Amino acid sequence: MTSRVLSRARLGTVLTFALAGMLCGIWVSRTPALAARFGLSDGSVGIAILVWGIGAIIAMQGLRGVIARAGSHAVLRIAAPLTALSLALIGLAPNWPLLLAAVAVFGMTFGLTDIGMNAQGSAVERSYGRPVMNAMHAGWSAGAISGGLLGVLSASAGLSFGQTLFCGGLLALPATLAIGRCYIPDGPVSAATGDRRTRLPLVVYIVGGLAFAAFMMEGSIADWSGLYLSRELGAGEAIGALGYPMFEGAMLAGRLVGDRLRSRVGTRRLMTYAGLGTAGAVAVVVLAPTAEVALAGFVLTGLAICTVIPTTISVAGTIAPGRSAGAVAQVGAMGYGGLVLGPVVIGFLANVSSLRVGLGVAAVLGLLIAAGARYVPMRRLVAIAGEREHEREAVSLAA
């Protein structure tokens, strides 16, 4: 593979992450407007987010074998444009039942796009022979920021929830079609890759558990930051929409240096620090007396958690040779389980208590990530990505 082809694949993957992040940013930043449009309670908003997550998990798990056999490049060329169209479809939904149907379609297409771009990022990373996954996810953060800011601008301009999502989906569609030419094949495939009866190594599921906690934490901030700022702290709709882009802005800054930091301090130590930092930053958010303090807490949370998900995906892509796409799909599906459970738990706690209590769950998740970091396997990452790990981190769980 020539360096030109590899560079184009890397750029195309980063842009795919950015477009997916933009679509997600538009969706979550206008969640308060969704609640207002249909007169929904916190619990009902949680149901809509739950439907989105279930759709993603069904697509990820049900089509895991297809993704592994066909390759991420083939999946992305179909799934990414469909994701843009399905977001526009949500904007056209005239009532609650049709909205839920459109959200389910969006979840399924988004889930395929998410796992496809992570598998493609893993293929590019293996081709480079060094960690680049944090930089890939920096593209997501940049896109999410732009989507969140579009949500802020649309709210300030008086555009409705439906108008914002419809226009956002249509704007992204041509770009998703053009980028499809940049992807590369995933590499050699094991004969057992497409056999759903063949279990992946146990360590894949352990890494998936960490992804579950990290996705649940990130999803909690993404889905509830706007309502927390507007309802708990009395901020206006435009200020409420700032929580998510500021959170993603901090994640972008952290991910731009995440690969370098990971090589310097080691994967396990990085994830331990990230979990502890997340717990402390979320404490700032839930104890904040004003919206300004809460926004600062969201920034700190983004800086703390930003490297966890890229690292779990990177590890997943290297611990099952010949089955990388399947391993990434499994970890991604488990992570989306966290996205599904998080909004439900927080919506329930918000109904019986408050959003402060609900978001406090994210602090507990940070502590769980810190505790679970010691189980992340190291040896294959050292061999494939060329990391320098500390001596006491060199013992792999799979040894």
Side-chain angles (χ1 to χ4, degrees), residues 1 11 342:
M1 185 182 301
L11 176 60

Side-chain angles (χ1 to χ4, degrees), residues 1-10 127-128 184:
M1 185 182 301
T2 66
S3 59
R4 180 178 180 181
V5 170
L6 187 55
S7 296
R8 188 175 70 170
R10 183 178 183 180
S127 297
Y128 269 92
I184 60 174

Side-chain angles (χ1 to χ4, degrees), residues 211-258:
F212 177 92
F215 268 101
M216 185 174 179
M217 200 291 306
E218 283 197 24
S220 299
I221 300 299
D223 293 330
W224 294 102
S225 59
L227 287 173
Y228 176 71
L229 290 168
S230 59
R231 293 189 179 180
E232 293 287 334
L233 299 177
E237 189 173 299
I239 297 297
L242 275 175
Y244 182 64
M246 290 187 69
F247 170 72
E248 285 291 346
M251 293 184 70
L252 171 60
R255 285 172 172 171
L256 287 174
V257 299

Side-chain angles (χ1 to χ4, degrees), residues 336-351:
Y336 268 72
L339 285 180
V340 170
L341 182 61
V344 175
V345 170
I346 292 178
F348 172 78
L349 292 175
N351 278 335

